[in-house]
Amino acid sequence: QAQLVESGGGLVQLGGSLRVSCAASASERIATYYAMGWFRQAPGKEREFVAAITPSGRNSYTGYYADSVKGRFTIFGDNAKNTVYLQMDSLKPEDTAVYYCAAALRRGMIQSVHSYNYWGQGTQVTVSS
């Protein structure tokens, strides 16, 4: 059973930046997954896709983004640290949510929660106005 541990959430003001991290267990290298993704869930809402990466070569990844975060968020992986990051800039109050990291073992729709096999415990991100 893979283990994903998120960190880096917190409180930030409108327009600020935050970076959240997802560290995978040493037995499961992030480059071996079909995809690594970030999702978020706000109170009373369904969990929604934020961003994902898929391996595209040695030490490189292709990023995918939800329209709501495109141009503001950047997802990237660090194979040496076995960690996936989500850099969030120009944050808005509507970005407030619990952010979850997830890993997919097999090919599927990367925007769908059902494509992912492992999930982290989540980290809270709050953007104040």
Side-chain angles (χ1 to χ4, degrees):
Q1 178 76 20
Q3 185 175 14
L4 304 173
V5 179
E6 300 101 332
S7 61
L11 174 64
V12 64
Q13 290 188 333
L14 171 67
S17 297
L18 204 61
R19 179 180 292 184
V20 290
S21 304
C22 172
S25 52
S27 60
E28 301 288 342
R29 309 304 298 176
I30 60 172
T32 64
Y33 290 116
Y34 170 71
M36 296 282 302
W38 284 97
F39 290 76
R40 66 187 181 187
Q41 188 166 19
K45 295 188 176 182
E46 293 187 352
R47 194 168 297 188
E48 65 174 4
F49 171 75
V50 175
I53 51 172
T54 59
S56 57
R58 186 175 181 180
N59 296 324
S60 65
Y61 295 90
T62 299
Y64 304 86
Y65 299 91
D67 288 342
S68 59
V69 306
K70 200 172 293 183
R72 300 189 297 122
F73 290 12
T74 303
I75 183 172
F76 58 99
D78 184 329
N79 287 349
K81 295 183 178 180
N82 208 31
T83 298
V84 176
Y85 300 92
L86 183 68
Q87 175 67 38
M88 302 181 288
D89 300 317
S90 302
L91 282 161
K92 306 174 182 179
E94 50 263 44
D95 295 318
T96 295
V98 177
Y99 282 70
Y100 296 91
C101 174
L105 292 173
R106 290 169 292 277
R107 181 181 296 273
M109 186 179 299
I110 60 171
Q111 299 90 344
S112 171
V113 297
H114 303 294
S115 296
Y116 293 83
N117 305 92
Y118 305 124
W119 293 84
Q121 82 288 352
T123 184
Q124 177 70 46
V125 172
T126 303
V127 184
S128 66
S129 57

